[in-house]
Amino acid sequence: MKTYIYFISSLLASSLLMKAQTLTQSANAPIPGDVESRKGADTTGALPNSIAGNTATWNLTGTSAINTNTTTFSNSWVNPSSLPGSSLFTSTGANVAHSDSTMFVKSSTPKLEYLGDMMADGSVNQFTNTIEIMHFPFSYGNSYTDNFSGYTYAAFLGGTLNITGTLTVTADGQGTLILPTNPTPTNFSVLRIKNQMNMNITGTGTLSMITGTIQSTNYQFFKTGTKAPILSYDYQTTNIPAFGINNQKSFSMDHDASLVLNVNQLSPNNTPYVFVYPNPTTHYLTIHSNLSDSYGIEIFNINGQQIYKDKLNSEEYTIDTQFWSNGVYIIQFTDEKTNKSFSSKFIKE
């Protein structure tokens, strides 16, 4: 009898698990009034990306902390019509958006579509062929591929870039996620969603020299009762030769702010980005970045001689290069607080 009861209990638990692993429009699509509180994070341990399938286990307890900064950032979902300049997106069906205008979404059965966003500096991304970021209902084993296209008006470049690409979304695993919560690890029953995006960038007009690709793989772990994933991490490879960006790899990670994880907590803007343009250059070189004023820059010629040194003091920093000799130069960025550095290359013609 005990064996029979155990079998029925196990079967019931299994069926409840399967039921919990389905994303639906009513439970998971954002609506005005929703608030997502997140923490940026990093990990010194390897993440189990190759693990997939039914009854999988993703164990992240091998991570370790570097510091204890626990910055929380929140995204509020609102009615798009309440936002300045939103008519660009409401005219194409946006019915929910981030309050800071960084994401305009159209939620209509059975799709959740990303229409674009507006940046504080006046830049705009708009997808005339929208990105279908979710197709409800979605459960383990489901998959689809969506083609998208649109443009970016880059205010700091003063021009437009065309965008095309594909997004493949797969529910490639369900099972147990073990997170290094304090004081002891916690197990969560989750559905893992894998998003693979390939994006092509082509400049127009005065920006026709700019072409590039961005490839990213994002993993999201959903548990019952939460609209947003409790954990999300993303790997990205960027190639934009005109900016001196060649096979540049980056990593980002965030999680539900209610969790206290034994990982390095980062601010949402901690990941550095740098655009150096035009490349090649003739008369001037512009550095557009989110680096703080703790960063210094040094420029070396091909012989290793330092020919320029200064501190970054603005988001957009310009250097007069018209009297420099033609050739290849290395620009090095160094955080004077941590002494960590990275470099980029440009050509003077």
Side-chain angles (χ1 to χ4, degrees):
M1 178 62 71
K2 288 184 179 179
T3 302
Y4 177 73
I5 293 175
Y6 176 77
F7 173 75
I8 293 298
S9 299
S10 299
L11 184 62
L12 178 60
S14 177
S15 61
L16 288 174
L17 175 65
M18 292 300 291
K19 183 178 180 181
Q21 308 296 24
T22 299
L23 304 185
T24 65
Q25 193 109 25
S26 59
N28 297 98
I31 59 174
D34 286 345
V35 177
E36 298 174 9
S37 293
R38 315 286 294 176
K39 288 182 179 179
D42 199 1
T43 171
T44 59
L47 298 176
N49 302 326
S50 60
I51 298 174
N54 195 8
T55 64
T57 298
W58 299 276
N59 190 340
L60 272 65
T61 58
T63 61
S64 59
I66 300 174
N67 61 43
T68 56
N69 175 21
T70 55
T71 302
T72 298
F73 57 100
S74 296
N75 293 320
S76 298
W77 291 96
V78 300
N79 188 323
S81 61
S82 67
L83 301 175
S86 63
S87 59
L88 181 67
F89 301 102
T90 55
S91 63
T92 55
N95 53 15
V96 63
H98 277 168
S99 58
D100 60 1
S101 300
T102 57
M103 191 172 191
F104 287 85
V105 171
K106 179 181 179 181
S107 179
S108 59
T109 306
K111 299 178 180 180
L112 190 63
E113 300 170 82
Y114 173 43
L115 277 62
D117 53 70
M118 297 188 294
M119 300 290 102
D121 68 352
S123 298
V124 175
N125 298 314
Q126 184 176 28
F127 295 96
T128 48
N129 182 12
T130 62
I131 303 177
E132 185 177 347
I133 53 180
M134 182 47 63
H135 190 100
F136 299 107
F138 208 68
S139 58
Y140 173 65
N142 290 162
S143 180
Y144 67 89
T145 297
D146 183 55
N147 297 317
F148 59 85
S149 60
Y151 72 91
T152 292
Y153 169 72
F156 68 93
L157 293 175
T160 300
L161 308 171
N162 289 329
I163 299 173
T164 60
T166 60
L167 172 67
T168 298
V169 181
T170 306
D172 72 339
Q174 65 179 359
T176 303
L177 173 67
I178 308 174
L179 293 180
T181 49
N182 287 325
T184 59
T186 304
N187 294 5
F188 298 92
S189 177
V190 296
L191 171 70
R192 186 173 86 163
I193 305 296
K194 181 180 181 180
N195 300 274
Q196 293 176 288
M197 178 177 287
N198 294 294
M199 182 184 297
N200 301 305
I201 300 170
T202 306
T204 64
T206 58
L207 303 183
S208 59
M209 81 294 291
I210 299 175
T211 60
T213 60
I214 298 175
Q215 297 175 315
S216 67
T217 302
N218 171 266
Y219 300 91
Q220 299 178 332
F221 296 84
F222 289 87
K223 77 179 184 72
T224 305
T226 58
K227 285 193 173 184
I230 61 169
L231 177 72
S232 175
Y233 51 87
D234 183 89
Y235 297 88
Q236 182 169 294
T237 301
T238 304
N239 283 284
I240 308 179
F243 292 155
I245 300 174
N246 297 286
N247 203 39
Q248 177 177 297
K249 298 184 183 298
S250 60
F251 170 79
S252 62
M253 178 175 170
D254 63 81
H255 62 85
D256 189 309
S258 66
L259 300 176
V260 180
L261 301 189
N262 182 31
V263 293
N264 178 31
Q265 304 294 324
L266 305 174
S267 72
N269 297 318
N270 197 74
T271 302
Y273 72 83
V274 175
F275 293 139
V276 179
Y277 65 94
N279 190 9
T281 183
T282 53
H283 291 85
Y284 65 89
L285 187 74
T286 297
I287 301 169
H288 186 86
S289 74
N290 68 343
L291 301 180
S292 70
D293 57 9
S294 67
Y295 273 83
I297 58 173
E298 296 175 275
I299 298 179
F300 303 88
N301 61 22
I302 197 64
N303 297 317
Q305 298 170 314
Q306 183 190 89
I307 63 168
Y308 188 89
K309 183 177 182 179
D310 199 4
K311 290 190 68 173
L312 286 178
N313 53 22
S314 63
E315 184 177 359
E316 192 163 285
Y317 182 95
T318 301
I319 303 171
D320 186 349
T321 62
Q322 62 178 318
F323 299 115
W324 293 14
S325 300
N326 292 348
V328 177
Y329 292 85
I330 303 297
I331 180 168
Q332 181 169 294
F333 303 87
T334 302
D335 188 336
E336 296 176 352
K337 293 180 179 179
T338 65
N339 207 35
K340 292 183 178 180
S341 64
F342 61 96
S343 61
S344 183
K345 180 176 69 175
F346 69 92
I347 299 172
K348 166 65 169 61
E349 293 182 339

